[in-house]
Amino acid sequence: MFNQLRMDLYRMKKSKSVYVCFLCMLGVIFLSYVMAYLLATPNGQQTALKLGMLTLSELDMGKTYLEGIDLLGMFREANMDGGMYSLIFGIAVTLLVSGDYQGGFIKNILPLHRERWTYVGSKLIASGILNFLYLTAGFAFNALVNLLFHNLVPLSDWKGTLFYLGWVWVVTMGFAALIIMLCVLSRNVTIGVLGAVLGGSGIIVTLLSGITQQFHLSGWEEYTLYFNLTYGPSAYTSAGDLRGVAVGLVFLAVYTAAAMITVMKRDV
């Protein structure tokens, strides 16, 4: 698996799609600060008025836009809570895995492995490294942009930030395992991207929730990846705040096992 992982990391390093997805994430963060500046600061509001983005009656509403939001809150608002990060990260993972099938390299890769499950293990480890880099570099950029906007929002508690990034990494790894499973099942980049869009944006959870509520079935949403990523805690206060970690680990194990079984049972 080490040789496979080394190849995956090399391809990831050279892949343009990895950098394009990362730049998209940074662009969303920057635009979020621009919008916050235009809506919640005196100078920004004057600019927004000139651009027609605000009316005089909306000025007071804009002043409360950033109330209660700190550095971590801005990071969540920009990328995490709405599912944007999952969507971008999911597309990056899709392209990382589907590239083997699209180019026909899978026919050369799998015969080299006596235990085919190591192929999925390598993809998962590579995705975990990419996930860590995306999260940490994204938050660092978030802090840098806040500094460029003259500390538009106050700094967040570093302990809470580390706790948040830690459990978010676990939950998003569960999502990465889902994307890997879809890719090895379908061997199609379109299915992987569709899974990233529908799963990352929460469209599937929202639609199913609307249907099940008609039959008075609710509460299951709290055990989905999307719900925990969107409504999870920003700081540790009790053992209940670890629910997201538990949910992420369960989905990570289930989807990884399904992907490994698929790779081992299906013909190349």
Side-chain angles (χ1 to χ4, degrees):
M1 185 169 69
F2 178 77
N3 290 333
Q4 174 66 35
L5 177 60
R6 185 171 58 182
M7 182 182 71
D8 285 335
L9 293 178
Y10 178 80
R11 286 181 55 203
M12 190 170 69
K13 179 181 177 181
K14 297 295 183 180
S15 174
K16 292 181 180 179
S17 61
V18 168
Y19 298 100
V20 170
C21 289
F22 181 62
L23 290 176
C24 288
M25 183 182 71
L26 299 188
V28 171
I29 293 174
F30 183 78
L31 289 176
S32 296
Y33 273 90
V34 172
M35 291 300 298
Y37 172 79
L38 292 174
L39 294 174
T41 65
N43 291 337
Q45 287 183 336
Q46 293 302 316
T47 303
L49 284 172
K50 294 178 181 178
L51 295 175
M53 297 176 61
L54 278 177
T55 63
L56 290 174
S57 60
E58 295 173 329
L59 287 179
D60 291 335
M61 295 176 57
K63 293 176 181 178
T64 62
Y65 181 75
L66 292 177
E67 282 188 2
I69 297 181
D70 58 9
L71 190 63
L72 179 58
M74 280 296 292
F75 184 67
R76 295 191 63 159
E77 288 284 337
N79 275 305
M80 309 306 298
D81 293 353
M84 179 61 70
Y85 178 82
S86 294
L87 190 155
I88 293 174
F89 176 56
I91 291 176
V93 173
T94 296
L95 297 177
L96 176 66
V97 179
S98 297
D100 292 340
Y101 293 95
Q102 297 297 108
F105 296 118
I106 195 69
K107 295 180 180 179
N108 299 323
I109 295 174
L110 288 187
L112 298 177
H113 298 276
R114 294 182 58 186
E115 300 293 341
R116 288 186 177 183
W117 64 266
T118 59
Y119 172 80
V120 175
S122 174
K123 296 298 184 185
L124 198 60
I125 294 174
S127 299
I129 294 173
L130 181 64
N131 193 16
F132 174 80
L133 294 175
Y134 270 17
L135 286 173
T136 54
F139 189 82
F141 180 78
N142 175 65
L144 176 61
V145 175
N146 185 53
L147 186 62
L148 292 176
F149 278 88
H150 305 288
N151 294 317
L152 190 62
V153 294
L155 298 179
S156 52
D157 176 66
W158 68 271
K159 292 182 180 179
T161 299
L162 291 178
F163 171 74
Y164 175 79
L165 293 177
W167 73 255
V168 159
W169 183 88
V170 176
V171 174
T172 48
M173 283 309 298
F175 186 71
L178 167 63
I179 299 302
I180 293 173
M181 181 195 70
L182 291 175
C183 289
V184 298
L185 277 171
S186 66
R187 303 184 179 186
N188 190 301
V189 65
T190 304
I191 298 298
V193 171
L194 190 62
V197 173
L198 296 180
S201 63
I203 293 176
I204 292 180
V205 173
T206 303
L207 288 176
L208 290 178
S209 178
I211 295 173
T212 56
Q213 283 181 5
Q214 301 300 318
F215 299 94
H216 307 288
L217 298 174
S218 60
W220 62 268
E221 305 94 336
E222 298 179 10
Y223 301 96
T224 62
L225 294 172
Y226 175 77
F227 183 94
N228 281 275
L229 191 61
T230 302
Y231 301 105
S234 294
Y236 180 80
T237 57
S238 66
D241 293 330
L242 298 176
R243 182 180 63 183
V245 176
V247 170
L249 289 175
V250 168
F251 279 105
L252 175 60
V254 171
Y255 290 141
T256 299
M260 288 181 173
I261 291 173
T262 300
V263 169
M264 289 188 292
K265 296 297 183 181
R266 290 185 66 176
D267 294 332
V268 177

